[in-house]
Amino acid sequence: MTNHWIDIRNADCVLIIGSNAAENHPISFKWVERAMEAGAKLIHVDPRFTRTSSKADIYAPLRSGTDIAFVGGMINYVLNDMKQNPQNYNMDYVKQYTNAALIVDPGFTFHEGLFGEVKDSKYSAAARATWKYADKTTPATDPTLRNPNCVFQLLKKHFSRYDVDTVGNITGTPKDVYLEVCRTYAATGQKGKAGTLMYAMGATQHTYGTQNIRAYGILQLLLGNMGVAGGGINALRGTSNVQGSTDMCLLAHILPGYLAIPKEGDTNLEAYLNRARPATITPQGLAGDKSANWWGNYKKYIVSLLKAWYGNAATRANDFGFNYLPKCDPGVNYTHIGMFEAMGQGKIKGLWAWGQNPASGGPNSNGEREALGNLDWLVSADIWLNETAEFWKRPGVNPANIKTEVFVLPVACSYEKEGSITNSGRWAQWRYKAVDPPGEAMPDLEAMNLVMLKLKELYQADSAAPARDAVTNLDWNYGAHITADAVAREINGYDLTTGKLMASFGALKDDGTTTSGNWLYCNMYTEEAGNKAKKTDPIDAHPKQIGLYSNWAWCWPVNRRIIYNRASVDLNGKPFDSEHPVILNYAADTKWQGDVPDGGWPPINQAAAGEKYLPFIMKPEGVARLWGYGLAEGPVPEVYEPWESPLDKNLMSQTKTDPCSFVGSFMNNRGTPERFPYVGTTYRCTEHWQTGIMTRNLPWLVELMPEMYVEMGEELASEKGINNGDRVIVSSARGDIAAVAVVTKRFRPLQVAGKTIHQIGVIWHFGYSGMATGDSGNILTPHVGDANTTIPEYKTFLCNVRRA
């Protein structure tokens, strides 16, 4: 989240898309209701009418997988209304704080859904070069926004195709409802108003999920809703510590603190930095004349990380141990889907499944279960036996035919261990141990520590072990009994010249005299204040009490509660919203009041020439990107159909599906609308969580929701002769599931391209292990993923249904 949970109350309009926040994020919805009590409007966009919809002022149904068309039409509405009614928008924000005025390479082309030449599911380097600015380091601008090659005009041209009728024909959203959505949300573009956008997995789990979020970003920037109270793009994370685990490099493409993973070709530290560290871009002709380009500090952060890992073995002479790190092959996909594709092909010998249950939670579950059988060994660390640990004796297989040796590590649940979690709003909060874990179970941290100690012992004893120094030189100094407190200190980092904890990442150095296990968390644990994640001061000390509660927990970076908050003030430092200012009252001696500013520099008009810092400090050009040229499939979002679509063509272009999406080949049959005429989508229910390992082993929750079920509309059920409570079979090209039919008004048929489209909702909490068993909805989902992240396309697939 760019903002945080409590800040939702400051919104004048809340747009929830791809999320059922009322059920899945109930605390977030508490703050939505606070905003509504103060007069805010709630818009809910979802294929299914949910409890969130029931509270909304406007509910807009849409066909699953058509978010880009829906939001692209909203962008088109705003751009057209800006021309007619510029007084209703914060045009200074758009011109001075975004790249709307920057001039793009005149060689840029767009034709029939493509932004240039595509080869082997990738755009050519020549095509990608045209997505950038005409001048790569000092781009010209046109603050009048009239130059045909400026970002603003290119946006207008691109999204002009997204007229209301076309959008409705793609999404199935009724025209009158859609126009009401556009009018209501566009009203947040006025100075002093704010709209917040809340999304979850319904937005991201598509082959173009990243571009869905890009579309949200464009809309919010045009409306001046980034950096302000009650605004932002706010991801509702799926579990309590998803944000924290992502910060600590849970994903395959990053190191802690979102540093790039080393790749083949990064022959030394300097080569790595030349690839990963962005060069500063200085736009010409804006009121601001300097970009902070905070990623220019890359070397400080990677060197401090290497020193945290390798201690005295990391020296200037050996590039601080950089070549101890493995180098990824750029041609290999290391994400969840890519990993299971490799398992299916027999390329991977062993797997640690730590707090994860891919046999039920992974896409194309039958295929992933089969792939597990190609491993030599599997370690499952969990609080109960799950489907992954018991895949070898699942229904329909002979255990004697499974060669995989399975080890189970019983670990502690969250109440049985101490440590921090970082919530969706980036707040790191300390959780204390309540009870001891049962039996032989131990906290994950302790289990990992024992494994690492044994690995170091084994590598030390084997002089021929591959990459031996990378393990033996690790500064693993926790002893036999590791503590979360010790790890928290290491993550914060130390000044090696004094032996004291670092006060902030601003003091990290690239000469090997500082350490930090994650630069973003450098400031969480200091000599002066101790562990700030333990802070519990319930007083909001902000001058206007806008809900920051800055002394409750700690928020990265440096306890900044709303990021890019220098965009909340005008060029003179005056807040756009005087009622909910994020930062305010700049003075040369006392600096800013309010939130920790995104750079403590003076307002642009008060700063000296050459020191007028632009507000979006993480961007090389210092302004936010309406035009974002760093993604795989283009600088702006474009409509594509899901990998499995009920339509025979893309209604926007001749390019039907995302040209850069990842498509697996292992047991990944593709369905057609002739055999599978209905659109399926997955989601959660209130009573169960994730793959159900916790909830399906609790008798009270099993009693509340004992069986696998699917939802369908009354019209479809009538056509198929299905009654509420009937046993049904839902099938896709990848498998069948059995479930109880819930016939409901929550799904209504949509009119799309002259066809009636029915949608079926499937939960994914069940499996063959535990107290309550049933089929996982992920048996139906395909092994395809987003072009940038490879997040699976759980939310849209083709299926059929019949009475059992």
Side-chain angles (χ1 to χ4, degrees):
M1 296 173 73
T2 58
N3 295 42
H4 58 91
W5 294 125
I6 299 171
D7 181 66
I8 294 168
R9 78 182 196 193
N10 296 319
D12 295 291
C13 187
V14 179
L15 173 57
I16 300 178
I17 183 169
S19 162
N20 177 13
E23 291 185 74
N24 292 327
H25 296 87
I27 297 302
S28 79
F29 210 74
K30 163 186 173 180
W31 300 109
V32 172
E33 291 184 314
R34 292 283 180 87
M36 295 176 73
E37 289 165 6
K41 297 292 186 182
L42 172 60
I43 302 168
H44 188 223
V45 183
D46 199 285
R48 180 177 62 126
F49 188 93
T50 68
R51 290 185 172 106
T52 303
S53 314
S54 73
K55 294 289 188 180
D57 296 285
I58 308 169
Y59 165 64
L62 85 168
R63 174 168 63 101
S64 182
T66 61
D67 302 61
I68 290 175
F70 192 99
V71 180
M74 294 177 71
I75 293 169
N76 185 44
Y77 179 94
V78 168
L79 289 169
N80 289 330
D81 197 43
M82 273 184 174
K83 182 177 181 180
Q84 300 297 324
N85 302 290
Q87 71 280 3
N88 290 340
Y89 297 90
N90 191 343
M91 297 307 299
D92 291 335
Y93 184 109
V94 174
K95 293 175 181 179
Q96 299 293 341
Y97 294 168
T98 79
N99 66 354
L102 275 66
I103 308 302
V104 173
D105 191 307
F108 168 76
T109 61
F110 173 78
H111 181 68
E112 291 295 344
L114 296 176
F115 299 90
E117 182 185 35
V118 178
K119 288 184 177 180
D120 300 324
S121 299
K122 293 182 179 179
Y123 275 98
S124 67
R128 294 179 66 89
T130 67
W131 303 351
K132 297 183 178 181
Y133 306 125
D135 185 315
K136 306 300 187 286
T137 57
T138 55
T141 64
D142 174 17
T144 70
L145 306 183
R146 293 174 184 161
N147 187 303
N149 287 324
C150 78
V151 165
F152 189 79
Q153 289 298 329
L154 291 175
L155 279 184
K156 288 185 69 174
K157 181 178 180 180
H158 182 79
F159 287 107
S160 65
R161 300 150 52 239
Y162 290 65
D163 61 90
V164 174
D165 291 328
T166 299
V167 168
N169 204 25
I170 295 170
T171 65
T173 308
K175 184 175 181 178
D176 59 336
V177 174
Y178 185 72
L179 283 170
E180 188 180 6
V181 169
C182 291
R183 284 191 294 266
T184 303
Y185 202 69
T188 67
Q190 296 181 43
K191 288 184 181 180
K193 298 292 184 182
T196 192
L197 196 151
M198 299 163 59
Y199 73 90
M201 298 303 181
T204 56
Q205 291 175 343
H206 298 276
T207 44
Y208 33 77
T210 303
Q211 290 288 14
N212 283 346
I213 313 310
R214 278 282 299 128
Y216 304 165
I218 292 171
L219 178 64
Q220 288 293 74
L221 288 169
L222 288 173
L223 296 172
N225 280 332
M226 297 300 296
V228 303
I233 296 179
N234 296 307
L236 311 187
R237 299 300 201 170
T239 67
S240 59
N241 198 34
V242 168
Q243 184 64 57
S245 56
T246 307
D247 299 339
M248 299 298 167
C249 78
L250 175 77
L251 302 177
H253 68 295
I254 53 173
L255 299 175
Y258 301 93
L259 300 173
I261 201 81
K263 294 182 178 180
E264 291 178 3
D266 296 337
T267 53
N268 54 40
L269 180 60
E270 197 58 34
Y272 166 81
L273 291 168
N274 287 338
R275 176 181 64 83
R277 179 178 55 193
T280 299
I281 299 171
T282 308
Q284 306 297 298
L286 298 180
D289 60 11
K290 192 177 181 80
S291 168
N293 185 21
W294 204 263
W295 281 118
N297 295 299
Y298 222 97
K299 187 174 183 180
K300 299 176 183 178
Y301 304 151
I302 184 66
V303 169
S304 295
L305 175 65
L306 290 167
K307 287 294 293 185
W309 284 351
Y310 288 105
N312 292 333
T315 66
R316 192 184 298 274
N318 70 355
D319 260 352
F320 302 103
F322 175 75
N323 281 319
Y324 292 150
L325 303 181
K327 309 298 187 294
C328 292
D329 181 342
V332 174
N333 188 302
Y334 295 92
T335 66
H336 180 105
I337 290 181
M339 182 170 63
F340 272 89
E341 287 286 314
M343 283 182 220
Q345 297 161 17
K347 295 179 179 179
I348 293 178
K349 299 300 182 183
L351 172 69
W352 290 78
W354 209 298
Q356 189 180 16
N357 186 17
S360 280
N364 187 13
S365 294
N366 281 339
E368 295 208 348
R369 294 165 186 173
E370 192 71 20
L372 292 172
N374 291 336
L375 298 170
D376 289 345
W377 56 266
L378 164 67
V379 178
S380 173
D382 217 311
I383 59 177
W384 269 288
L385 288 171
N386 61 29
E387 284 74 17
T388 301
E390 297 189 312
F391 86 96
W392 53 275
K393 60 175 184 177
R394 67 189 186 274
V397 301
N398 182 355
N401 296 331
I402 304 293
K403 67 172 186 175
T404 309
E405 185 173 10
V406 179
F407 303 87
V408 174
L409 297 181
V411 293
C413 80
S414 58
Y415 312 108
E416 298 163 353
K417 57 191 175 187
E418 181 179 13
S420 68
I421 64 163
T422 303
N423 72 11
S424 299
R426 298 170 288 107
W427 291 23
Q429 302 179 78
W430 203 258
R431 292 202 301 202
Y432 298 89
K433 176 180 174 180
V435 294
D436 289 328
E440 295 181 285
M442 64 174 63
D444 311 69
L445 183 61
E446 293 182 25
M448 290 178 186
N449 183 52
L450 293 177
V451 168
M452 195 64 224
L453 289 173
K454 177 57 69 173
L455 279 174
K456 282 178 67 73
E457 178 186 314
L458 293 171
Y459 271 78
Q460 194 69 48
D462 184 357
S463 60
R468 180 172 180 264
D469 289 349
V471 177
T472 60
N473 284 336
L474 275 172
D475 189 20
W476 201 271
N477 55 7
Y478 307 107
H481 300 288
I482 192 170
T483 66
D485 183 84
V487 176
R489 290 168 180 263
E490 182 183 353
I491 288 170
N492 181 86
Y494 290 90
D495 181 338
L496 297 178
T497 65
T498 65
K500 293 184 177 181
L501 291 161
M502 295 296 299
S504 165
F505 59 67
L508 292 176
K509 297 180 179 179
D510 60 12
D511 60 2
T513 61
T514 60
T515 74
S516 178
N518 186 325
W519 72 273
L520 277 174
Y521 283 73
C522 185
N523 178 249
M524 188 185 88
Y525 206 135
T526 65
E527 297 287 344
E528 179 181 307
N531 186 346
K532 298 179 184 178
K534 295 181 177 181
K535 296 174 81 171
T536 55
D537 184 348
I539 304 300
D540 183 6
H542 187 280
K544 295 286 189 176
Q545 294 190 313
I546 65 169
L548 296 188
Y549 293 94
S550 298
N551 289 313
W552 184 285
W554 178 88
C555 181
W556 68 255
V558 292
N559 208 31
R560 184 174 301 128
R561 303 285 159 141
I562 296 177
I563 58 177
Y564 297 124
N565 54 36
R566 286 180 66 248
S568 69
V569 298
D570 66 16
L571 298 175
N572 295 311
K574 180 182 178 182
F576 291 123
D577 183 352
S578 59
E579 186 179 350
H580 306 103
V582 185
I583 58 173
L584 67 163
N585 297 339
Y586 178 84
D589 53 345
T590 58
K591 306 301 181 184
W592 295 97
Q593 294 180 344
D595 197 8
V596 177
D598 223 338
W601 310 289
I604 287 173
N605 281 352
Q606 294 185 34
E611 299 296 323
K612 298 176 180 290
Y613 281 94
L614 292 159
F616 284 82
I617 66 172
M618 301 307 294
K619 293 300 174 191
E621 58 273 70
V623 291
R625 289 182 175 176
L626 293 164
W627 186 269
Y629 52 77
L631 297 182
E633 70 272 69
V636 287
E638 171 63 1
V639 164
Y640 301 110
E641 284 295 309
W643 188 65
E644 288 186 341
S645 167
L647 306 185
D648 58 4
K649 64 179 181 179
N650 182 349
L651 299 180
M652 290 288 284
S653 76
Q654 293 181 15
T655 304
K656 185 177 180 182
T657 58
D658 190 308
C660 303
S661 59
F662 183 89
V663 179
S665 58
F666 182 69
M667 294 180 63
N668 192 35
N669 295 328
R670 191 176 192 176
T672 64
E674 289 73 30
R675 288 187 60 202
F676 305 102
Y678 311 122
V679 174
T681 189
T682 64
Y683 47 79
R684 309 181 191 197
C685 66
T686 301
E687 295 80 6
H688 289 300
W689 190 62
Q690 302 293 83
T691 62
I693 290 307
M694 292 180 72
T695 54
R696 285 189 290 110
N697 283 291
L698 296 177
W700 311 278
L701 293 176
V702 169
E703 183 179 357
L704 284 170
M705 189 58 68
E707 295 183 85
M708 174 66 185
Y709 70 88
V710 300
E711 290 188 84
M712 66 189 74
E714 293 173 338
E715 295 84 355
L716 175 60
S718 177
E719 287 181 19
K720 305 293 287 189
I722 295 170
N723 296 312
N724 193 50
D726 282 353
R727 302 282 170 174
V728 296
I729 303 295
V730 182
S731 58
S732 77
R734 291 155 297 280
D736 302 340
I737 65 169
V740 175
V742 175
V743 178
T744 175
K745 289 181 169 63
R746 289 188 288 270
F747 275 116
R748 294 290 179 89
L750 300 175
Q751 296 302 310
V752 175
K755 297 175 62 174
T756 298
I757 300 295
H758 293 286
Q759 302 185 95
I760 294 175
V762 180
I763 59 172
W764 55 282
H765 306 296
F766 282 82
Y768 42 78
S769 300
M771 183 179 296
T773 60
D775 289 331
S776 169
N778 282 324
I779 288 173
L780 305 173
T781 55
H783 230 226
V784 298
D786 172 79
N788 297 278
T789 66
T790 325
I791 192 171
E793 189 159 62
Y794 291 113
K795 297 307 180 204
T796 313
F797 54 90
L798 291 180
C799 62
N800 208 334
V801 63
R802 69 180 190 274
R803 291 184 64 182

